[in-house]
Structures are given as C-alpha cells and as structure tokens.
Amino acid sequence: MDDRAELLVENRAPVPGVLVRRNAGKGVVKSTRRRDPRMDLRRAIENDELTLYYQPQFEVLSGRASGVEVLARWFQSDGVAVEPSVFIPFAERTHLIGALGSRVLHRACHDVRAWRTAGLEPVTLCVNVSPRQIDEGFAASIQRTLQSTGFPATQLELEITESALMSNADYVIECFRQLKAIGVRIAIDDFGTGYSSLSQLSRLPVDRLKLDKSLVHNLTTRWKDVAILSSIIGLGNDLGLAVIAEGVETEQQFQVLRQLGCPQVQGYLLARPAPQNEAQDMLAGRWGARYARPTFLNRTALESSNAS
C-alpha cells in the first residue's frame, strides 16, 4: 500500500487516531504504534484541549446578530483535526458524551458572559444536546453550570434533533420542562425531517424551530421545499415559536427566506464558525478581511428601517 492509499485508510478509520504519521523532513515517516482513542478523547476533555468555535445567527430584517451556536473542534497533539462527525458519535458510544457536553457548556457560558462584560450586546448561546446526555441528573447539571459561571438562564438555548426528542419523548419533555421553568430556551434542530407530528409539536416545551439545512439547500431549485418552508414558518408564527433557517450559503437562498418571512438565519454566507476571539470581533463589528460582513445584510437592515 502506498502512502496516499494508507492515508486514505487512516482518515476513514471509525475512531480517531489509529496511526501516528509525522513528517521528519525526509518524507513521510509512518508509525504502527496503536493509540487508545478513548483515552485520547478523555485526556482532551479533562485537559480542556477542545477548541470552541462560534457561528453567529442573524435577524433577517435588522441584520443584527442575535445568537451564536457553539461548535466543538478537536485538534490532536500531532495537529490532526478530528471531525465532529467522528468524535461526537465516538463519545456517545464510549460514554464520554456527558463529560464532553458539560465541559463545552461550561466554557461556552464563560466565553459568552465575557463578551457581555466586554460591552457587547447580549446574545443567545445555542448548545447542541445529545440524547445520550439526558439522564436524571441532566437538568440539575445545567443549573449548576449556570450558577457557577453566572450565565443567565434566559440567554441559553439547548438544541435537540427531532429524532432524538421523539425517541424518548416523555422523559425528555419532562426534563426540558424543568429547564424551561428557570428560563432556559429549547429548540428543535433539523426540523422538517418528518419525525414529529403536528399534534406532538403542540405539546412539546419548545421555543424555536431550526429548519433542516436540506430544505434550505434545495430552496432555489425545488418549489415543493419552498412550500414546505413557507408552511413551517407560518406554523411557527401561529404557535408562537421562533424560526431560524440554518445552512444558508447563497444570497438567493437568503432572499427567498426573507420573502417567506423567516425571521432568523445562520450559515456560511453570513458568517463562518470562528474561535472565541474572532467571534467576539465579529459581534463587536470588527469583521476584518477574513470574516467580512455581507453587504446585503446592511441593505436589508436599511430597507427595513426606511419601510418603518
């Protein structure tokens, strides 16, 4: 097997870090030393080695950043980046997801609270929750984190997918009701994939629907997806739920969502995920060359101001 083929095998491994490969200046040096990926991830969690990125969310009419979604990134000691699509399921399988989720939430609360202390306008912190995290101590753990970091419960939003929410609906609903009682917001992520019925939606303790990115992706080519999105946005309005579209990558998608009345958007077109300091600069209006504020956001806000 040549170097290129072996690298492909390594990158496709079901768990991170099977082989260690280093460039010693004389070509690729390969090591057959096996690593224990579970210990690597546990060490990364305990030593706070995960990097947090933040992706802003925007109000369509005003162009104002209203929230940030926190995204964990794992860069191993040898510089290899492990994709979340690899290490998150691995953490779930190896029962490390609870420790991972707690550490991410604690650091994110600290970061976003520091932005407020620095004079930034308050934004909602959106955190993804795995169904494997939700046990009898989950709500109490969230409350302890809020207390220890001084982060306002009303500025925290927990996101859970439709499928995860409905897989153990009664238990999850009761847990989220406890959190809503102290002000925490709840969002259904990837909404529109068909797992929940409208009758179930009416009894769920949710505050926001996050439209599945697959619907947004086909927005300009499939009129049926436009009809589905229009219906969901209208449904959200009727039920008093906020609605946000994720995965917005083109201005055409943005303009269609705007015409449909979607109040909030998130995606690479508007802002890419960025480390804490760079995300703070974006929220403070210091976008710089790498994270340039889309000009159409300014136009949209101006048009809205003139119309009022």
Side-chain angles (χ1 to χ4, degrees):
M1 180 182 298
D2 62 20
D3 290 343
R4 182 175 301 176
E6 186 170 344
L7 183 60
L8 289 174
V9 170
E10 178 184 352
N11 287 342
R12 292 175 182 172
V15 295
V18 174
L19 293 174
V20 176
R21 304 166 58 83
R22 302 187 187 282
N23 189 334
K26 298 180 180 180
V28 177
V29 177
K30 292 173 288 187
S31 170
T32 57
R33 178 174 66 87
R34 294 283 176 175
R35 295 168 55 169
D36 183 344
R38 187 175 187 275
M39 290 302 298
D40 283 350
L41 181 55
R42 180 186 294 278
R43 189 178 303 111
I45 295 170
E46 292 176 349
N47 295 339
D48 215 13
E49 295 174 354
L50 296 171
T51 301
L52 300 189
Y53 278 58
Y54 298 89
Q55 186 173 30
Q57 301 170 341
F58 295 90
E59 294 179 352
V60 170
L61 293 182
S62 69
R64 185 182 73 89
S66 57
V68 290
E69 179 179 3
V70 60
L71 305 164
R73 297 290 184 263
W74 181 19
F75 299 95
Q76 293 180 298
S77 58
D78 53 8
V80 174
V82 184
E83 292 294 324
S85 59
V86 173
F87 76 80
I88 297 297
F90 180 71
E92 291 176 329
R93 293 196 305 271
T94 55
H95 307 291
L96 291 173
I97 192 64
L100 173 62
S102 295
R103 184 55 60 95
V104 168
L105 177 62
H106 188 277
R107 283 186 53 196
C109 286
H110 181 273
D111 285 349
V112 178
R113 186 173 183 272
W115 295 343
R116 177 61 173 159
T117 302
L120 272 65
E121 291 295 320
V123 294
T124 299
L125 169 61
C126 306
V127 182
N128 291 282
V129 174
S130 164
R132 300 285 181 90
Q133 291 178 249
I134 303 176
D135 55 24
E136 61 183 14
F138 178 72
S141 174
I142 298 293
Q143 294 183 56
R144 285 195 300 271
T145 298
L146 293 173
Q147 292 171 357
S148 65
T149 59
F151 192 82
T154 53
Q155 292 176 23
L156 175 64
E157 180 176 275
L158 302 180
E159 298 182 0
I160 187 168
T161 63
E162 268 190 281
S163 56
L165 179 60
M166 302 315 302
S167 62
N168 192 9
D170 291 337
Y171 184 81
V172 174
I173 288 172
E174 178 55 33
C175 181
F176 282 165
R177 279 180 177 153
Q178 295 176 32
L179 291 169
K180 277 183 64 64
I182 64 170
V184 175
R185 295 169 54 84
I186 308 298
I188 300 182
D189 199 9
D190 300 337
F191 188 80
T193 52
Y195 288 95
S196 60
S197 69
L198 298 185
S199 60
Q200 291 170 323
L201 181 61
S202 65
R203 72 184 184 94
L204 297 177
V206 299
D207 301 280
R208 183 158 72 157
L209 306 177
K210 196 167 188 180
L211 302 177
D212 185 64
K213 63 181 64 177
S214 65
L215 297 174
V216 176
H217 178 73
N218 297 318
L219 192 58
T220 59
T221 57
R222 294 175 54 179
W223 67 267
K224 290 184 178 180
D225 285 346
V226 175
I228 292 172
L229 285 176
S230 178
S231 298
I232 295 175
I233 293 169
L235 174 65
N237 290 333
D238 292 341
L239 294 177
L241 302 177
V243 178
I244 182 171
E246 63 178 335
V248 181
E249 297 181 350
T250 69
E251 185 171 353
Q252 190 175 7
Q253 291 171 344
F254 174 86
Q255 296 299 350
V256 173
L257 288 166
R258 179 191 176 196
Q259 293 169 9
L260 292 176
C262 185
Q264 297 178 325
V265 287
Q266 173 184 351
Y268 276 22
L269 172 69
L270 303 119
R272 290 177 175 269
Q276 189 265 348
N277 289 339
E278 295 177 12
Q280 179 176 341
D281 286 342
M282 281 193 284
L283 296 174
R286 300 186 297 270
W287 288 72
R290 184 180 179 188
Y291 298 97
R293 177 180 171 87
T295 56
F296 63 82
L297 275 179
N298 298 329
R299 293 201 309 270
T300 301
L302 179 61
E303 292 167 2
S304 176
S305 176
N306 290 338
S308 61

